[in-house]
């Protein structure tokens, strides 16, 4: 990941090369969605969140704002909010900015150390009374958190859980339950299954921002993995996979071609795709089933008026 100077450390580059080679030598070809988020990818994702077709961010933000007082369990005080994959505090602020917030500590777990450092600086400046604890770690793994107060709430907004297949989503929620310890709570934001007439434009917007976001992956590999992808020879594609209930993003080769990456030769057939992302769209019932399998009880579920997006309050034992 880039540091403040824009220079990518060698070991980070080695990880990008290893991940890219593993995916691009597999059949069918894939690339991990986490590779989207270099500096330009983060900027493009922010632009996506402002698109008229991308209803997710504004729907969740409005929903969280309207329920912020209700998500706090009775007797919850001296509380800690633990965000998973939280290198952007915008959603957490909805809970932390309230005059009556029970949260005095904000723990944010993310692999991107520079982004976490910037987040800490922003939060310390705007919230003098708040203790901000950045934790540099892969949130998919169980982790040892610093000693926390009795009232703990995990936070996983943004429908990031949609990137995980159901088994991985269950494993993540189970690991988070272990990391948070006994009697913790968890607030999960997830996009819901709906008509592809709404879903497809959200992942194939008319301004072409999602296409640029997808193709930026290849630009990143050209820079960080000594690759020579011709960006004009791949096109963005978003498809609805009804059986698996997910949007898939692909980069499709427009012709037969050969690409070099870190000294290796990669061959593409015409119309061959690189599968770059899954975005699962589960029903409320399916998400409840996944949370239960991970050992959580369902305390309450909120949806926006149109039933596009769900916020799930889970309770550990
Ligand atoms: C950040 C994973 C929730 O799946 O909607 C947006 C990423 N990809 N447009 C999503 C994304 C294409 C986003 N998540």
């Amino acid at each position: 990941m880039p540091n403040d100077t824009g220079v990518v450390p060698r070991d980070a580059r080695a990880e990008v090369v290893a991940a890219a080679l593993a995916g691009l030598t597999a059949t069918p070809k894939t690339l991990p969605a986490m590779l989207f988020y270099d500096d330009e990818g983060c900027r493009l994702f922010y632009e996506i969140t402002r698109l008229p077709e991308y209803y997710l961010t504004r729907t969740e933000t409005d929903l969280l704002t309207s329920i912020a007082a209700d998500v706090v369990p009775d007797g919850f005080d001296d509380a800690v909010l633990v965000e998973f994959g939280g290198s952007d505090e915008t959603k957490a602020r909805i809970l932390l900015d309230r005059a009556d917030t029970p949260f005095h500590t904000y723990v944010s777990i993310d692999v991107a150390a520079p982004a976490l450092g910037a987040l800490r600086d922003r939060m310390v400046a705007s919230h003098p009374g708040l203790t901000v604890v950045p934790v540099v770690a892969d949130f998919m793994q169980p982790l040892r958190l610093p000693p926390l107060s009795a009232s703990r709430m995990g936070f996983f907004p943004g429908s990031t859980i949609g990137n995980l297949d159901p088994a991985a989503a269950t494993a993540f929620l189970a690991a988070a339950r272990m990391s948070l310890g006994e009697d913790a709570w968890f607030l999960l934001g997830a996009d819901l299954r709906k008509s592809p007439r709404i879903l497809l434009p959200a992942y194939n917007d008319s301004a072409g921002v999602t296409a640029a976001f997808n193709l930026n992956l290849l630009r990143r590999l050209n820079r960080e993995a000594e690759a020579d992808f011709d960006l004009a020879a791949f096109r963005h594609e978003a498809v609805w996979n009804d059986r698996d209930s997910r949007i898939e993003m692909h980069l499709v080769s427009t012709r037969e071609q050969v690409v070099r990456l870190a000294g290796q030769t990669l061959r593409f057939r015409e119309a061959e795709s690189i599968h770059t992302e899954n975005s699962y769209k589960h029903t409320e019932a399916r998400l409840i089933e996944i949370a239960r399998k991970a050992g959580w009880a369902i305390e309450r579920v909120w949806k926006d008026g149109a039933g596009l997006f769900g916020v799930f309050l889970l309770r550990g034992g």
Side-chain angles (χ1 to χ4, degrees), residues 249-266:
M249 294 217 307
H250 295 265
L251 288 165
V252 181
S253 176
T254 60
R255 52 173 159 84
E256 189 179 315
Q257 56 183 317
V258 171
V259 175
R260 300 280 295 169
L261 188 143
Q264 308 260 3
T265 299
L266 305 167

Side-chain angles (χ1 to χ4, degrees), residues 33 36-37 45 48-49 54 56 157-163 191 202-204 210 213-214 236 247 249 277-281:
F36 282 134
Y37 300 97
F45 178 67
I48 287 173
T49 66
Y54 196 79
L56 287 80
S159 203
T160 309
I161 196 159
N163 273 170
D191 195 22
Y203 292 85
N204 194 11
T210 310
F213 175 73
N214 202 3
H236 164 70
I247 289 281
M249 294 217 307
E277 185 175 47
N278 287 322
S279 199
Y280 282 86
K281 310 295 176 184

Side-chain angles (χ1 to χ4, degrees), residues 187-263:
L187 198 61
L188 169 72
D191 195 22
L192 299 173
R193 184 177 162 98
K194 61 183 62 66
S195 165
R197 286 199 308 277
I198 298 173
L199 287 169
L200 282 168
Y203 292 85
N204 194 11
D205 62 280
S206 56
V209 182
T210 310
F213 175 73
N214 202 3
L215 283 159
N216 179 59
L217 208 48
L218 303 184
R219 189 177 292 118
R220 179 179 190 179
L221 295 183
N222 284 351
R223 195 178 58 242
E224 293 182 33
E226 297 155 74
D228 63 355
F229 284 101
D230 174 3
L231 269 66
F234 288 87
R235 64 179 169 77
H236 164 70
E237 191 175 85
V239 295
W240 170 243
N241 176 334
D242 190 64
R243 196 200 56 170
D244 294 325
S245 206
R246 68 191 191 202
I247 289 281
E248 297 177 2
M249 294 217 307
H250 295 265
L251 288 165
V252 181
S253 176
T254 60
R255 52 173 159 84
E256 189 179 315
Q257 56 183 317
V258 171
V259 175
R260 300 280 295 169
L261 188 143

Side-chain angles (χ1 to χ4, degrees), residues 100-183:
D100 61 350
T101 187
F103 299 107
H104 62 70
T105 301
Y106 175 44
V107 180
S108 189
I109 307 163
D110 202 276
V111 283
L116 274 187
L119 170 146
R120 183 200 46 222
D121 294 348
R122 288 190 300 268
M123 291 305 277
V124 165
S126 61
H127 294 69
L130 185 71
T131 303
V132 183
V133 185
V135 175
V136 179
D138 174 4
F139 65 75
M140 288 298 292
Q141 307 304 320
L143 41 105
R144 189 177 293 276
L145 293 173
L148 301 172
S149 79
S151 301
R152 278 154 282 123
M153 185 178 285
F155 188 43
F156 197 45
S159 203
T160 309
I161 196 159
N163 273 170
L164 307 175
D165 66 42
T170 307
F172 161 71
L173 288 174
R177 200 167 58 82
M178 300 298 287
S179 303
L180 288 165
E182 268 174 32
D183 298 322

Side-chain angles (χ1 to χ4, degrees), residues 79-91:
V80 180
L81 187 69
V82 181
E83 182 161 1
F84 291 80
S87 57
D88 168 0
E89 71 280 18
T90 318
K91 306 276 173 59

